[in-house]
């Protein structure tokens, strides 16, 4: 029995999609026309050409040399590098800490279990912005004043300006590594490596916050390995360390990796909160650019695009990793 | 694919949708009409800068910028109380004005070329001639801004302050490291906690912050150098020349009132008795200047009665008897050697 | 075969496996590492805990006396800052005299949320209760409802702040995001390519960006997107931003629940002649949603914590209100840490309660699933 054109399932499917697409296009067109009309009526200029204009502002800390005469795109790049710096250090630190706490939560020792539980509950149930603000206040209020820093042998300095320590650099004139030692003068430190309180606050704050989640993920991974595996390992005489390394970890890893990636992504996205404590990450610099040039739409679109690329890239990497590690069932 | 009529329909729909894109929308209504219809003016002010725009715990707003808003509201609507104040942080202020959320931005905003030309805004008249300065703790021993080599300086994001600081640092080879905060409270807190060697913003802002936030204002010194010109004044949206003229001339009217000795106290007496032609014109007795602006003839009388003349506004909010203790300096009348020079209201 | 029935001599009772000595031995001193861990942790605790107690309780100052607080600075905590400023911290810039209104509104809202969590109340009357309580909430907070004055003095939305703001933003955004999330999850699983692509794009786009950029976009760009002359309320903009954000995450959770439904259910529904929407409404969604309640609770906890970010777009929730309370007040500003600890306590109390509830629901579900 041939149903009519309108009653065929194919037709209905296409009609629904058509209707949805039409609705969406109309909505977007309406929003766009509003935006363009508003911008025209108010004489707001638009376009990405501002990226090649002179930035005109300095950035407090950057990994590459940056001067106020450099263009805006370079300022954005400095912001991106600062974000990546926080993310990489934070990811490393939170993984180590989180693994320790996660392992502690499944250990035999009741004290370790209890403390691990208290730690995860405490750090998971407090908003990350609040934790960052508390860290910043602690680092700034309770550090010694920059005029009288705590120093160890003129090599390490600890003050409200941050932590400074020497670093070996390659010196071409002597063809060898020399120590680049921080020099303290009148409350300011030059040379050496300085970690500002802003960087420390955001890295430590994010690491401790994310490590609570990583601990949960690690715990879930370890618990997911069937007890039979451990008992079998014991029965063939493997020591504790061998069991952990060769039986427990490989199987636990498969369960741990996907949610762990999620946590790494969360840490990267949470680093955008640096704008609240004065660390010049991507969002903070984009904010400054937004205020100096008035191009709100372009700047916000740019940061969303960058974060999207970071997220999608990491997800793709992890999916590939996951494919390789997937359990090949019988 | 076999669904070509469907494809055609899809294409048609897309074309229809895109055609909506290129239709323009008329700019809806003039600001003055909207304000009159609403019977309320919306004024963007500072979140909390004593002397310029701050609310007390009861929610009552005071300050130099607030008094200017009240004067404009009185001129337009008849009463200085018909104002709704919207506190705005530095990053939000321009988009709030551009979007129509506020009618005028009276928030110690510096006039610059970028803001006048590319943000879709108009700068009206300067209400406060200022400059950017530095505040340092006295015990740091710094007496001049040129001693700030390699110093960390706390600054708020979204202001001309950042750029001026950079220019100054470059011109004097100081390699200053700015620590940029999104919120004013965070910047203040960091400076008073000792994170930075110096704090920089407009000199009037420094005086205000020192008077309110420092535990002992005497422990902090404002350095003598002013590293930039900061003419502060209200801004309005582009595209509405009528509203622009009203705000501008209310401010000029207040300055002119001080020049001719009209105060909130003696305005009734002068209105009844004065024979000075300039005074009579200002008070609407001889000419109706209000009609040319779209208001009635008592527009300036109401503005002066509500807030006082420019000098009174200055003295009440930031003058020598207030905690800010600012001298008139460049804000004095031109006849007294200052920069406040109102074009004639004629 | 002969069975001999004899009394067997009574045996000695088994060694108790529940004595505290045994528990100690198994859990704290099982082997060398364990003993070492126990001893070091105990020593650490013995060193740290008395100091903490002395700072937080013994030498602490509870009265709102700034001078006394200053004198014990570094030795004891100054909880006086909380007793002095708690009203601004909890209610933000809401007019002082009218603060009973947000208090009542909060209590109503929290009771509604608590009642909604109890299974005994899951019937249609709950939906009416939701509508009624939300109307009461907005009426009390704003003093006007849909333009009609309620006899209370009107309070504009930019003066709402503190705890009521946090509760309102998080619960309203989750409630509004839920229908959208269900639609998006269904759309993502559909086999109509256009719908699937749109839903996937939406979810991946929103999940890939930080909430703060969504909030910036909402507060800066939303007015530009609307026709000239309309100015959306500042709270509305933030609410739209958070709703769109939480809808994407909730959609993923609901999709996880939908994936857990076996194909047999769909096939049985088809064999009964039920269409797509009927199947979803009667068969699939009730089962899927029951599965995802713990996940949604976790999402709610995350959104509740994320509302603290609105302080960056200048809405004064708890941490913003603390900054407001201490700005312009140099007497109390040195005691910011105690203020932060107070807010931490509030957030911790709410989030911990919610996470325990979510665990309990999970256990209930597991019990009901067991055959």
């Amino acid at each position: 029995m041939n149903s009519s054109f309108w009653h065929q399932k194919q037709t209905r499917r296409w009609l629904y999609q058509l209707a949805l697409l039409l609705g969406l296009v109309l909505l977007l067109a309406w929003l766009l026309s509003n935006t363009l009309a508003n911008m025209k009526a108010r004489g707001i200029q638009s376009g990405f050409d501002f990226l090649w204009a002179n930035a005109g502002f300095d950035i407090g800390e950057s990994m590459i040399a940056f001067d106020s005469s450099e263009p805006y795109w370079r300022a954005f790049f400095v912001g991106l590098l600062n974000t990546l710096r926080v993310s990489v250090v934070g990811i490393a630190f939170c993984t180590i800490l989180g693994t320790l706490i996660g392992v502690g939560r499944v250990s035999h020792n009741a004290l370790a279990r209890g403390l691990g539980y208290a730690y995860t509950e405490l750090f998971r149930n407090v908003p990350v912005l609040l934790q960052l603000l508390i860290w910043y206040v602690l680092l700034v209020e309770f550090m010694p004043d920059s005029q009288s820093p705590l120093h160890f042998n003129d090599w390490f300095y600890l003050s409200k300006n941050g932590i400074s320590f020497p670093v070996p650099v390659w010196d071409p004139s002597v063809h060898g590594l020399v120590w680049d030692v921080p020099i303290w003068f009148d409350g300011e430190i030059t040379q050496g490596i300085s970690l500002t309180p802003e960087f420390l606050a955001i890295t430590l704050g994010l690491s401790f916050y994310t490590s609570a989640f990583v601990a949960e993920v690690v715990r879930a991974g370890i618990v997911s390995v069937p007890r039979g595996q451990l008992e079998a390992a014991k029965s063939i005489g493997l020591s504790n360390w061998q069991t952990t390394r060769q039986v427990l970890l490989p199987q636990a890893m498969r369960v741990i990796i996907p949610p762990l990636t999620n946590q790494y992504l969360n840490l990267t996205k949470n680093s955008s909160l640096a704008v609240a404590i004065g660390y010049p990450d991507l969002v903070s610099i984009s904010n400054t650019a937004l205020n100096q040039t008035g191009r709100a739409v372009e700047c916000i679109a740019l940061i969303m695009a960058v974060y999207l690329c970071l997220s999608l890239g990491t997800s793709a990497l992890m999916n590939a990793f996951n494919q390789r590690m997937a359990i090949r069932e019988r | 694919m076999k669904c070509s009529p469907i494809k055609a329909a899809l294409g048609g729909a897309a074309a229809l949708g895109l055609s909506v894109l290129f239709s323009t929308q008329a700019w809806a209504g003039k600001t003055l009409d909207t304000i009159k219809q609403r019977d309320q003016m919306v004024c963007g002010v500072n979140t909390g800068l004593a002397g310029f725009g701050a609310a007390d715990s009861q929610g009552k707003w005071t300050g130099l910028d607030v008094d200017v808003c009240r004067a404009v509201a009185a001129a337009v609507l008849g009463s200085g109380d018909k104002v709704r104040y919207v506190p705005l942080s530095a990053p939000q202020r321009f988009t709030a004005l551009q979007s129509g959320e506020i009618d005028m931005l009276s928030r110690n905003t510096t006039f610059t070329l970028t803001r006048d030309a590319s943000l879709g805004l108009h700068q009206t008249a300067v209400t406060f001639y200022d400059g950017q300065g530095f505040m340092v703790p006295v015990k740091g021993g710094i007496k001049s801004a040129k001693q700030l080599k390699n110093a960390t300086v706390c600054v708020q994001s979204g202001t001309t302050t950042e750029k001026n600081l950079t220019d100054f640092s470059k011109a004097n080879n100081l390699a200053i490291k700015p620590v940029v905060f999104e919120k004013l409270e965070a910047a203040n807190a960091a400076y008073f906690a000792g994170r930075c060697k110096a704090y920089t913003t407009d000199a009037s802002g420094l005086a205000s912050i020192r008077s309110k936030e420092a535990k002992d204002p005497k422990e902090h010194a404002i350095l003598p150098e002013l590293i930039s010109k900061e003419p502060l004044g209200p801004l309005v949206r582009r595209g509405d020349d009528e509203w622009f003229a009203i705000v501008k001339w209310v401010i000029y009217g207040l300055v002119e009132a001080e020049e001719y000795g009209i105060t909130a106290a003696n305005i009734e007496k002068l209105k009844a008795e004065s024979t000075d032609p300039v005074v009579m014109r200002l008070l609407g007795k001889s000419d109706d200047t209000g009609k040319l602006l779209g208001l009635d003839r008592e527009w300036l009388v109401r503005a002066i009665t509500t807030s006082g003349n420019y000098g009174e506004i200055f003295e009440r909010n930031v003058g020598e008897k207030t905690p800010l203790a600012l001298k008139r300096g460049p804000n004095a009348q031109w006849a007294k050697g200052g920069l406040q020079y109102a074009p004639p209201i004629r | 075969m002969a069975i001999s029935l004899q009394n067997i001599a009574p045996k000695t009772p088994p060694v108790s496996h529940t004595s505290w000595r045994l528990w100690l031995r198994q859990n704290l001193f099982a082997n060398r590492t364990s003993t070492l861990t126990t001893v070091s942790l105990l020593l650490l605790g013995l060193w740290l805990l008395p100091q903490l107690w002395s700072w937080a309780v013994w030498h602490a100052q509870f009265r709102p006396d700034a001078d006394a607080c200053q004198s014990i600075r570094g030795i004891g905590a100054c909880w006086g800052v909380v007793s002095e400023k708690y009203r601004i911290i909890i209610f933000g810039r809401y007019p002082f005299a009218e603060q009973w209104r947000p208090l009542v509104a909060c209590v109503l809202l929290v009771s509604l949320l608590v009642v909604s969590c109890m299974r005994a109340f899951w019937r249609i009357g709950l939906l009416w209760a939701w509508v009624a309580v939300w109307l009461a909430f907005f009426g009390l907070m704003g003093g006007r409802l849909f333009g009609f004055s309620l006899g209370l003095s009107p309070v504009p939305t930019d003066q709402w702040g503190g705890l009521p703001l946090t509760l309102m933003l998080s619960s309203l955004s989750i409630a509004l995001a839920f229908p959208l999330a269900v639609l998006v999850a269904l759309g993502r699983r559909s086999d109509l390519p256009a719908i699937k692509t749109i839903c996937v794009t939406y979810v991946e786009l929103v999940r890939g960006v930080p909430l703060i950029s969504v909030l910036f976009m909402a507060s800066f760009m939303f007015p530009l997107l609307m026709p000239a002359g309309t100015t959306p309320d500042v709270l509305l903009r933030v609410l739209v931003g958070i709703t769109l954000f939480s809808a994407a995450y909730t959609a993923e959770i609901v999709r996880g629940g939908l994936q857990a439904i076996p194909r047999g259910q769909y096939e049985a529904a088809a064999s009964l002649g039920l269409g797509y929407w009927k199947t979803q409404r009667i068969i699939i969604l009730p089962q899927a949603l029951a599965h995802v309640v713990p996940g949604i609770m976790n999402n709610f906890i995350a959104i509740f914590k994320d509302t603290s970010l609105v302080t960056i777009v200048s809405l004064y929730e708890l941490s913003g209100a603390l900054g407001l309370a201490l700005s312009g007040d140099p007497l109390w500003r040195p005691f910011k840490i105690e203020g932060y600890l107070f807010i931490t306590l509030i957030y911790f109390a709410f989030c911990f309660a919610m996470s325990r509830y979510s665990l309990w629901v999970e256990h209930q579900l597991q019990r009901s699933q067991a055959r």
Side-chain angles (χ1 to χ4, degrees), chain A residues 100-111:
Chain A
L100 277 174
I101 307 275
V103 166
R105 279 198 69 179
V106 294
S107 81
H108 290 297
N109 192 312
L111 258 183

Side-chain angles (χ1 to χ4, degrees), chain C residues 143-320:
Chain C
R144 22 180 355 122
L145 208 55
F146 302 116
F148 294 109
S149 172
L150 291 170
L152 302 165
S153 58
V155 177
T157 51
D158 54 347
Q159 287 196 311
W160 300 10
L163 194 59
L165 187 70
T166 307
L167 283 172
M168 183 204 90
L169 281 177
S170 42
S171 42
L172 195 57
S173 75
I174 287 270
L176 292 176
F178 195 68
L180 181 62
V182 169
L183 287 173
V184 170
L186 287 175
R188 205 172 160 166
R189 280 174 59 80
S190 97
D191 45 1
L192 303 177
I195 298 182
K196 184 167 177 165
T197 322
I198 294 174
C199 292
V200 169
T201 318
Y202 166 67
V203 171
E204 291 306 318
L205 198 79
V206 172
R207 275 171 28 123
V209 296
L211 177 59
I212 198 170
S213 65
V214 173
L215 285 178
F216 275 150
M217 207 186 76
S219 77
F220 285 151
M221 278 172 49
F222 198 45
L224 278 179
L225 294 173
M226 291 293 117
T230 60
T231 47
D233 186 78
V234 87
L235 261 190
L236 182 69
R237 283 180 241 165
V238 166
L239 191 63
V240 167
I242 300 187
T243 304
L244 288 175
F245 188 77
S246 66
Y249 284 84
T250 316
E252 281 300 281
I253 296 174
V254 172
R255 187 172 76 102
L258 285 173
Q259 273 177 338
I261 309 292
R263 280 204 62 166
Q265 298 285 312
Y266 290 94
E267 289 166 354
S271 74
L272 284 176
L274 295 174
Y276 177 78
W277 289 108
K278 269 221 166 90
T279 317
Q280 299 296 340
R281 188 169 58 88
I282 302 177
I283 311 284
I284 306 294
L285 280 179
Q287 295 182 59
L289 295 179
H291 273 200
V292 305
V293 169
I296 299 212
M297 276 309 296
N298 286 339
N299 202 26
F300 185 47
I301 298 174
I303 297 290
F304 187 79
K305 289 186 298 176
D306 282 343
T307 53
S308 62
L309 263 62
V310 302
T311 190
I312 298 188
V313 286
S314 293
L315 276 177
Y316 293 102
E317 53 69 64
L318 285 168
S319 21

Side-chain angles (χ1 to χ4, degrees), chain B residues 31-76:
Chain B
T31 317
L32 184 59
D33 296 336
T34 319
I35 293 176
K36 281 199 174 142
Q37 195 191 26
R38 216 194 289 135
D39 199 35
Q40 190 187 52
M41 195 179 83
V42 185
C43 198
V45 291
N46 203 311
T47 49
L49 189 65
F52 286 88
D56 62 8
S57 50
Q58 313 308 109
K60 200 156 121 27
W61 289 90
T62 52
L64 190 139
D65 294 325
V66 169
D67 280 346
V68 169
C69 278
R70 288 169 53 88
V72 174
V76 173

Side-chain angles (χ1 to χ4, degrees), chain B residues 92 95 99-101 183 212-213, chain C residues 223 231 237 311 313 328 330 333:
Chain B
Q92 301 170 309
T95 38
S99 70
E101 188 184 340
K183 307 188 74 164
K212 273 211 78 186
E213 306 269 346
Chain C
T231 47
R237 283 180 241 165
T311 190
V313 286
R333 208 181 327 110

